[in-house]
Amino acid sequence: MKAVRFHEFGGPEVLKYEDVPDVRPREDQVLIHVRACALNHLDLWIRKGLPGIKLPHINGSDIAGDVVEVGSYISSVKRGIRVLVAPMVFCNHCAPCMAGQQSFCREFSVLGYANDGGNAEYIAVPQASVIPIPDSLNYDEAASVPLVFLTAWHMLVTRAGIKPGDTVLVLGGGSGVGSAAVQICKMLGATVIATAGDERKLQKSRELGADHVIDHYQQKIADEVRRITGKSGVDIVFEHVGSATWDDSVRSLRPGGTLVTCGATTGPEAKFDIRVLFSRQLSFLGSYMGTMGDLHQVLKHIFSGKLKAVVDRTFPLSEARSAHERLEKSEQFGKIVLNP
Ligand SMILES: [Zn+2]
C-alpha cells in the first residue's frame, strides 16, 4: 500500500510518499480503508523528532474511512460502514480504562504517535476505536473532528466545568482546537473572547460565534480582556499557546478563575507569582486529550449538526509535504486534511 513515511527526523522534506508493507489486521482488529486523515501540530513535532518514535514512522491521528475487513473476534462492527477512528490508544483492560478514564491508562497515547498512524491507505485498529458516522458528514469533515473536539470538550466541560453565562478567553481561535472551543463555549451558553493573528482569522472566529475578538499581534490580550469585561476578567482561559501568552492568560483571569491548558506550542517555560495564585484563588488545570466518554458526548453534537467540523483545505496524501508547510506557517483556519 501507499503511505507517507519518514526515515529520519527533520523538515517537511523528510516526508516520503512510498510503498510500504500491507497492514494485516489481527482477529480482534478492524481494517480501515483510510479516506481522510487530518493534520495536527503533533505531526510536526513527531516529524522533527520526539522521544520514543521508531523510524521509519507513519504519522496521522485523525482518521475517517470505510471498514473493509473485520477480525473474527468482532461481532459489533460490520464491513462496509463509514467510520471515524478514536484518536487515542489504550489497553482497554486496566482499572482506569475499565472506569472510563482511558487518559490515565499507562499505555495511553495519541494514535499515530507510539504506533503508525493514518497517513496511509489502510490502518488496523481495535473495535473500541471505531465509531460509525452519519451520511451528513463527509470523510474530510469526520477526520477533522476527533482530536480537537475531544481535547476541547475535555478541557472545557470535564476539567474546567464550564457553565452557561461564563466568559471564556479562547487563545488561538483560528487553530483546530481553538475553533472547536469557540463552538463548544457558544453551544453551552458562554460568552467568548477569541484571539487570532490576522483579520481573516478574526472574521472567521466571529462567524463561528465569538462575541469579541482580539488581534494577538496588534493588541495586548490582558488589556483588551480588562476593557471588554469591564475590568472584571474572564471565568476561564483556554490555553494551548504556552510561553508567548502565559502572562496575559494569567492576568486575564477574574479572581477565582480557571486556566486550563493542553499545550505549549510557543514553548514550555512559564513563570508565575505564587502570591497571585493564592491571593486571587486561581485554578490552573492540565488536560491531556480526553476519554472515550468525552468523545462520544461531543460526537453527539457533531452528528446532530450543533457543532461543525472546520475544514481548512485538503491535499492528496502524496502532497503531505505541502500540507505540513501550510500548517507550519499557521496559514490555516481549521483542519488541513490529507486524502490517501
Ligand atoms: Zn488501560
Side-chain angles (χ1 to χ4, degrees):
M1 66 172 183
K2 291 287 187 193
V4 168
R5 290 198 298 192
F6 47 97
H7 297 256
E8 57 180 327
F9 297 121
E13 70 282 356
V14 301
L15 300 170
K16 303 283 181 236
Y17 181 67
E18 59 189 7
D19 289 306
V20 304
D22 285 343
V23 183
R24 294 302 315 147
R26 299 189 314 243
E27 296 302 342
D28 62 346
Q29 286 182 321
V30 171
L31 186 67
I32 309 289
H33 179 202
V34 180
R35 303 291 297 269
C37 185
L39 255 59
N40 290 284
H41 265 278
L42 179 67
D43 297 51
L44 308 182
W45 302 126
I46 294 174
R47 193 203 68 219
K48 290 174 191 167
L50 284 181
I53 304 290
K54 278 196 294 183
L55 296 174
H57 182 78
I58 301 173
N59 270 338
S61 311
D62 276 327
I63 298 162
D66 303 310
V67 173
V68 288
E69 219 177 298
V70 177
S72 61
Y73 297 174
I74 296 173
S75 52
S76 68
V77 179
K78 297 276 173 269
R79 261 177 64 176
I81 58 170
R82 301 166 71 247
V83 297
L84 62 77
V85 179
M88 63 273 222
V89 291
F90 47 91
C91 81
N92 210 20
H93 55 73
C94 70
C97 281
M98 288 299 94
Q101 301 285 340
Q102 290 85 8
S103 53
F104 293 127
C105 173
R106 290 178 64 166
E107 293 177 23
F108 189 77
S109 184
V110 187
L111 178 62
Y113 182 175
N115 52 356
D116 279 338
N119 287 351
E121 286 182 281
Y122 295 93
I123 188 170
V125 298
Q127 171 182 11
S129 299
V130 173
I131 300 172
I133 56 174
D135 293 341
S136 55
L137 212 59
N138 68 37
Y139 294 112
D140 295 332
E141 292 165 337
S144 298
V145 167
L147 193 51
V148 289
F149 276 93
L150 170 67
T151 300
W153 185 270
H154 190 68
M155 289 172 76
L156 289 164
V157 178
T158 311
R159 298 292 283 141
I162 187 174
K163 299 182 301 299
D166 279 350
T167 299
V168 183
L169 171 64
V170 176
L171 292 161
S175 65
V177 75
S179 55
V182 169
Q183 294 185 66
I184 291 169
C185 288
K186 289 313 297 177
M187 185 183 80
L188 297 176
T191 298
V192 175
I193 305 170
T195 80
D198 63 52
E199 187 46 48
R200 182 182 62 100
K201 290 185 183 182
L202 291 171
Q203 181 53 34
K204 290 204 170 205
S205 296
R206 282 189 205 98
E207 288 165 17
L208 281 181
D211 302 278
H212 308 275
V213 294
I214 298 172
D215 183 330
H216 55 221
Y217 293 131
Q218 305 292 330
Q219 296 171 292
K220 181 86 181 127
I221 295 172
D223 293 347
E224 285 302 305
V225 167
R226 262 176 76 77
R227 186 184 61 75
I228 292 165
T229 59
K231 296 188 181 167
S232 59
V234 299
D235 301 285
I236 297 170
V237 174
F238 183 93
E239 245 293 348
H240 53 105
V241 180
S243 292
T245 51
W246 187 263
D247 286 346
D248 275 292
S249 292
V250 175
R251 284 185 52 219
S252 297
L253 286 169
R254 69 159 171 80
T258 298
L259 183 157
V260 61
T261 183
C262 71
T265 314
T266 59
E269 304 287 340
K271 262 203 254 180
F272 70 89
D273 187 332
I274 296 168
R275 294 166 300 184
V276 173
L277 177 65
F278 70 72
S279 66
R280 294 174 65 79
Q281 304 189 64
L282 305 177
S283 299
F284 290 177
L285 303 177
S287 191
Y288 187 60
M289 297 185 66
T291 66
M292 286 301 290
D294 292 317
L295 184 58
H296 282 284
Q297 273 191 49
V298 76
L299 285 176
K300 276 196 299 194
H301 303 296
I302 295 279
F303 295 165
S304 72
K306 286 206 185 77
L307 298 173
K308 295 216 182 312
V310 183
V311 180
D312 172 65
R313 59 172 285 195
T314 62
F315 290 85
L317 181 61
S318 56
E319 293 173 23
R321 179 177 171 169
S322 305
H324 274 231
E325 285 165 350
R326 182 169 175 80
L327 183 59
E328 207 127 49
K329 290 185 215 144
S330 285
E331 289 170 348
Q332 86 289 357
F333 187 96
K335 303 299 285 181
I336 300 169
V337 179
L338 297 172
N339 296 136

